[in-house]
Amino acid sequence: MELDLKPRSAQKIFEGEGGEYHSWLSKDFPLLQESKVGGGRLVLRPRGFALPHYADCSKVGYVLQGNDGIVGMVFPNTTKEVVVKLREGDIVPVPLGSLSWWFNEGDSNLEVVFLGKTTDAHTPGEFTYFLQTGRQGIVASFSNDFVGRAFGLKKDEADKLANSQDGALIIVLPEGKTLPKPHQSDITKEIVYNIDAALPDHRVKNSGFWTTVTQTKFPFLGKVGLSASHVELGANSMSSPIYTTDSTVQIIYVVKGSGQIQIVGINGKRVLDTQVKVGHLVVVPRFFVVAAVAGEEGLECLSVITSAEPVLEDIASNQSTLAALSPEALQASLNINAEFGKLFISKIKESSYILPLRD
């Protein structure tokens, strides 16, 4: 069966007064199911509150918009809530089974995109959430008798506990209702990393930059087994064609701008050649090679790879596999003469992961 790699936008699956949740559905995007990865996007309006929930996946959240977000989490095998502040550019790993709530205390929208792996998901390719409160929550779904017995409450008390919150998924927190203040900065640094403000691994003046965050830079990524990259290309610049050598999958979300993405797969077949825009999600299967060229307004992407320490290679930079070949092997492989081989080697050794527009 031929792979369908066409980029997709998320579908809105919930909207309430407090905000929206969008998801990429495996029935519309079969490659998600095959690759066992998924994505979702949370939009919280001012005072929007995403009720406490856990999920059947490990994922990374990236704050697309908003500087006044708060997330509270209770990690598996712990009995303590950790509360941290979120701002634009932050990545926050959410380990499998972690209980979390999300709140926007600002005056403008808070928007977070989640990318992760669905190896253990009920529906491979999708995140399934289990709410603990609200009309779709676990507490409300048990009978009052069970709730009363579990919490040592009388019948009327159990009914009040189970049914007082009639909201679902995302609500608006009334004025005057407060939530815990974020913990001190040292705790925040342990579980939140601002990838936008990080020192780029590669930067080319007037052409863009490439920042990669792995478990080495940000140990908490080891809890989710994922890594992240932030790539910003200037107008008409190109990212070097890359591939993973460790059987991992790459998920690319277009944050800003537009451009063209090509993917080459098995037997050297170009399996994708398309334009991408804001909100598009692209899945790069394991070992396939991907490259992007920005449009006139540039192109910004957030990528997540299904390993905390991925092994990446590229074919066009001075650190590439082609650059490592001996002149003799290169000439034989490309069927070129020594003179053209020298020209090619000189060009490739001038290159980086970000390739500017050339004459």
Side-chain angles (χ1 to χ4, degrees), residues 312-332:
L312 294 170
E313 294 287 356
D314 82 293
I315 64 171
S317 79
N318 53 16
Q319 300 296 314
S320 72
T321 48
L322 285 180
L325 289 176
S326 64
E328 295 82 5
L330 200 60
Q331 292 165 31

Side-chain angles (χ1 to χ4, degrees), residues 244-314:
T244 60
T245 64
D246 54 359
S247 192
T248 53
V249 176
Q250 183 178 185
I251 324 163
I252 303 171
Y253 178 81
V254 180
V255 176
K256 294 178 183 177
S258 62
Q260 181 181 7
I261 284 183
Q262 292 187 358
I263 297 177
V264 174
I266 298 170
N267 295 325
K269 182 178 180 180
R270 190 190 308 156
V271 291
L272 183 71
D273 186 353
T274 192
Q275 296 293 313
V276 293
K277 60 183 181 180
V278 175
H280 271 169
L281 190 73
V282 178
V283 177
V284 185
R286 53 200 182 120
F287 303 112
F288 284 33
V289 186
V290 60
V293 175
E296 293 295 333
E297 70 271 47
L299 178 66
E300 182 180 347
C301 298
L302 188 281
S303 300
V304 166
I305 296 178
T306 57
S307 169
E309 289 288 349
V311 182
L312 294 170
E313 294 287 356
D314 82 293

Side-chain angles (χ1 to χ4, degrees), residues 2-307:
E2 194 163 314
L3 293 175
D4 179 7
L5 278 73
K6 183 177 68 176
R8 268 83 163 182
S9 299
Q11 303 298 311
K12 186 189 297 182
I13 62 171
F14 176 88
E15 183 173 10
E17 189 179 352
E20 307 169 5
Y21 185 74
H22 304 245
S23 179
W24 285 269
L25 304 178
S26 58
K27 67 181 180 66
D28 301 323
F29 202 166
L31 187 59
L32 292 174
Q33 184 171 8
E34 182 168 332
S35 302
K36 296 181 180 178
V37 293
R41 184 163 53 86
L42 174 68
V43 179
L44 292 180
R45 300 187 183 108
R47 298 200 64 77
F49 179 63
L51 295 171
H53 58 274
Y54 60 93
D56 59 356
C57 58
S58 294
K59 57 187 183 290
V60 169
Y62 172 72
V63 182
L64 296 164
Q65 176 185 345
N67 292 306
D68 295 293
I70 298 176
V71 58
M73 286 193 277
V74 180
F75 301 118
N77 296 319
T78 66
T79 57
K80 185 178 180 181
E81 179 186 64
V82 177
V83 181
V84 297
K85 190 171 179 61
L86 298 175
R87 61 189 177 97
E88 187 173 318
D90 280 345
I91 58 172
V92 52
V94 185
L96 175 70
S98 298
L99 183 74
S100 67
W101 53 260
W102 304 71
F103 178 60
N104 179 13
E105 64 175 358
D107 296 325
S108 59
N109 285 354
L110 174 72
E111 187 172 345
V112 185
V113 64
F114 297 95
L115 305 175
K117 51 188 176 182
T118 60
T119 309
D120 300 306
H122 282 272
T123 304
E126 294 183 26
F127 304 153
T128 298
Y129 293 100
F130 297 83
L131 294 163
Q132 290 206 342
T133 64
R135 67 171 180 263
Q136 296 176 326
I138 296 167
V139 173
S141 299
F142 278 107
S143 67
N144 283 352
D145 178 56
F146 269 52
V147 172
R149 285 172 178 252
F151 295 103
L153 298 173
K154 297 177 182 179
K155 184 177 180 180
D156 60 331
E157 294 171 332
D159 181 70
K160 182 177 182 180
L161 178 71
N163 299 308
S164 291
Q165 178 54 268
D166 61 357
L169 191 59
I170 303 171
I171 65 170
V172 175
L173 211 60
E175 292 290 343
K177 287 282 187 181
T178 60
L179 289 170
K181 294 295 182 184
H183 290 110
Q184 57 267 37
S185 59
D186 57 338
I187 294 178
T188 298
K189 288 178 181 178
E190 290 181 11
I191 63 176
V192 176
Y193 187 100
N194 194 281
I195 194 170
D196 286 12
L199 185 67
D201 298 281
H202 308 277
R203 181 188 288 275
V204 175
K205 188 176 180 180
N206 299 324
S207 296
F209 61 84
W210 187 319
T211 308
T212 299
V213 181
T214 67
Q215 181 178 244
T216 300
K217 286 185 182 178
F218 183 29
F220 194 58
L221 280 173
K223 297 291 185 180
V224 293
L226 300 165
S227 57
S229 293
H230 180 212
V231 180
E232 186 171 315
L233 299 175
N236 302 309
S237 294
M238 180 181 182
S239 61
S240 178
I242 65 164
Y243 59 97
T244 60
T245 64
D246 54 359
S247 192
T248 53
V249 176
Q250 183 178 185
I251 324 163
I252 303 171
Y253 178 81
V254 180
V255 176
K256 294 178 183 177
S258 62
Q260 181 181 7
I261 284 183
Q262 292 187 358
I263 297 177
V264 174
I266 298 170
N267 295 325
K269 182 178 180 180
R270 190 190 308 156
V271 291
L272 183 71
D273 186 353
T274 192
Q275 296 293 313
V276 293
K277 60 183 181 180
V278 175
H280 271 169
L281 190 73
V282 178
V283 177
V284 185
R286 53 200 182 120
F287 303 112
F288 284 33
V289 186
V290 60
V293 175
E296 293 295 333
E297 70 271 47
L299 178 66
E300 182 180 347
C301 298
L302 188 281
S303 300
V304 166
I305 296 178
T306 57
S307 169

